[in-house]
Amino acid sequence: GAVVSQHPSWVICKSGTSVKIECRSLDFQATTMFWYRQFPKQSLMLMATSNEGSKATYEQGVEKDKFLINHASLTLSTLTVTSAHPEDSSFYICSASRPLGSGRAFSTDTQYFGPGTRLTVL
Amino acid sequence: DAKTTQPPSMDCAEGRAANLPCNHSTISGNEYVYWYRQIHSQGPQYIIHGLKNNETNEMASLIITEDRKSSTLILPHATLRDTAVYYCIAYNSGGSNYKLTFGKGTLLTVNP
């Protein structure tokens, strides 16, 4: 259980075009979904947090008008990179948060990650 | 935020146990110790997490010291496919540190 998929796995586009990346939790309903970005030889950086039916919360320095996030259901979130430029080329990874469950003194949701999407903007 | 400290790299022989240490001396009472790993060009993979007690699953064991200031991830019989960057993160989705913050992790290289 706890499988998260992303589509596409890689995409090449021309500068100025928009690219949509889908993130799906396949076997559970996610309370929250997250979008990360990873540049070569660097660690993952959180871009935004989204909950179904509400606006995403963006991290400082991430342009919300450039990286549009739609969280239409408990199993689907999309990230649209608008007017992409070469500096947006990166590895984009989503995660979906699955509740730990009841019966513990402390509870926390566990994030499960998708396989990532490699975006190259020419 | 509870910051974690890990060695930048470790080597392990195939078939041997890999013991990956992590220091988290400022961890708060409601933060779990999470371990993820990232194989090159893939998304991070959840391994295990724990709060106070030692935990074991099909992938690994997690040993947490009694004072919770450090922990060790144990891969009992490392294989070449276990070569990856391993991240130790102190986290609680409902706490003040509700974001998964990835540091640089430990690059584990399993050698034949």
Side-chain angles (χ1 to χ4, degrees):
Chain A
V3 179
V4 177
S5 69
Q6 275 184 248
H7 178 79
S9 55
W10 60 270
V11 57
I12 301 172
C13 69
K14 293 182 179 180
S15 184
T17 61
S18 294
V19 174
K20 180 186 283 189
I21 303 170
E22 287 189 353
C23 176
R24 293 180 185 271
S25 56
L26 298 184
D27 53 0
F28 66 99
Q29 292 186 325
T31 51
T32 306
M33 286 186 166
F34 303 82
W35 288 95
Y36 295 79
R37 181 168 53 181
Q38 185 175 33
F39 292 107
K41 297 189 184 296
Q42 294 186 22
S43 196
L44 280 77
M45 294 296 294
L46 179 65
M47 298 176 66
T49 302
S50 74
N51 291 289
E52 183 255 346
S54 60
K55 290 184 178 180
T57 301
Y58 291 81
E59 294 299 297
Q60 192 171 11
V62 178
E63 301 174 57
K64 62 179 181 180
D65 294 330
K66 182 170 184 61
F67 299 99
L68 302 179
I69 292 172
N70 183 279
H71 196 153
S73 74
L74 288 173
T75 60
L76 173 63
S77 176
T78 60
L79 169 69
T80 301
V81 183
T82 62
S83 187
H85 291 285
E87 57 265 29
D88 298 323
S89 297
S90 188
F91 191 47
Y92 291 87
I93 310 166
C94 73
S95 71
S97 192
R98 181 181 188 181
L100 179 67
S102 60
R104 292 202 180 194
F106 297 108
S107 64
T108 185
D109 297 349
T110 294
Q111 289 187 35
Y112 294 90
F113 287 81
T117 296
R118 177 79 55 192
L119 171 63
T120 301
V121 185
L122 303 176
Chain B
D1 292 353
K3 184 177 178 180
T4 61
T5 305
Q6 299 176 253
S9 63
M10 292 183 65
D11 285 306
C12 177
E14 187 178 19
R16 298 288 186 135
N19 297 285
L20 291 89
C22 179
N23 287 321
H24 32 79
S25 58
T26 60
I27 194 169
S28 63
N30 65 349
E31 287 180 324
Y32 286 75
V33 179
Y34 271 82
W35 284 84
Y36 287 84
R37 72 179 183 185
Q38 187 176 25
I39 296 170
H40 183 62
S41 296
Q42 296 183 24
Q45 179 187 22
Y46 165 76
I47 301 173
I48 198 168
H49 73 283
L51 185 64
K52 299 178 184 177
N53 300 322
N54 297 337
E55 302 286 347
T56 295
N57 62 20
E58 64 278 4
M59 289 184 68
S61 295
L62 173 61
I63 308 298
I64 303 174
T65 58
E66 194 170 339
D67 61 9
R68 300 209 329 123
K69 292 185 177 181
S70 65
S71 61
T72 302
L73 178 74
I74 301 173
L75 306 179
H77 305 287
T79 70
L80 299 179
R81 289 176 296 181
D82 292 322
T83 293
V85 178
Y86 287 76
Y87 297 98
C88 167
I89 305 170
Y91 170 73
N92 185 307
S93 62
S96 59
N97 183 29
Y98 63 93
K99 302 177 188 178
L100 269 181
T101 302
F102 286 82
K104 297 185 177 180
T106 296
L107 172 59
L108 174 68
T109 303
V110 181
N111 300 304

